[in-house]
Amino acid sequence: RRWPALARAMVRPMARQAHAGKMVEQFIKSMAPADAEILKQPYVADAMSASLAECFRQGPGPPTWDGVAVARGEAIPLERIRTKVLIWHGLDDRNVPVAMAREQERRLPYVKARYYSGEGHLIFFSRIEEILSELVAPAT
């Protein structure tokens, strides 16, 4: 938040790893066991690797400033969001603490949240059918 230049120096090695296709390997070592299992699936690893490379395609600057903005709290006040928001969150997520999801749930006026034990950050892959079914269901 206070030293964006330092943040950029920290992100630069991540950009190199992403371009070299090595970042997924690092994630497997550091993420929750449920996430590591998902990342070991070749189609998921390939998609994640391509996504990470794209994230850093313009260098470390844009992802760094995104992180700086989050750290500084530069966001739309959640209380002003007037559309229904759905949250699916793995309780074992090591990337985004469950406390953050619960705080969003508390502040959003129209929210439906689900929390899952034994799931991590990549809950989208393990709960894809449930998530897509809810997203296309008629609004009630």
Side-chain angles (χ1 to χ4, degrees), residues 22-97:
K22 302 288 184 189
M23 207 165 184
V24 171
E25 294 170 20
Q26 295 301 318
F27 283 164
I28 288 172
K29 295 175 188 175
S30 66
M31 293 181 91
D35 291 328
E37 287 305 310
I38 290 169
L39 279 174
K40 288 177 185 175
Q41 297 176 36
Y43 75 95
V44 175
D46 291 346
M48 182 72 75
S49 187
S51 177
L52 290 164
E54 181 63 22
C55 175
F56 292 102
R57 183 172 50 87
Q58 296 179 21
T64 299
W65 283 109
D66 182 53
V68 169
V70 169
R72 289 180 176 168
E74 299 170 5
I76 297 169
L78 298 179
E79 295 81 4
R80 290 181 35 202
I81 297 174
R82 295 290 179 216
T83 188
K84 182 179 177 184
V85 175
L86 305 170
I87 296 173
W88 289 268
H89 198 94
L91 295 175
D92 296 344
D93 190 335
R94 294 181 184 171
N95 295 65
V96 178

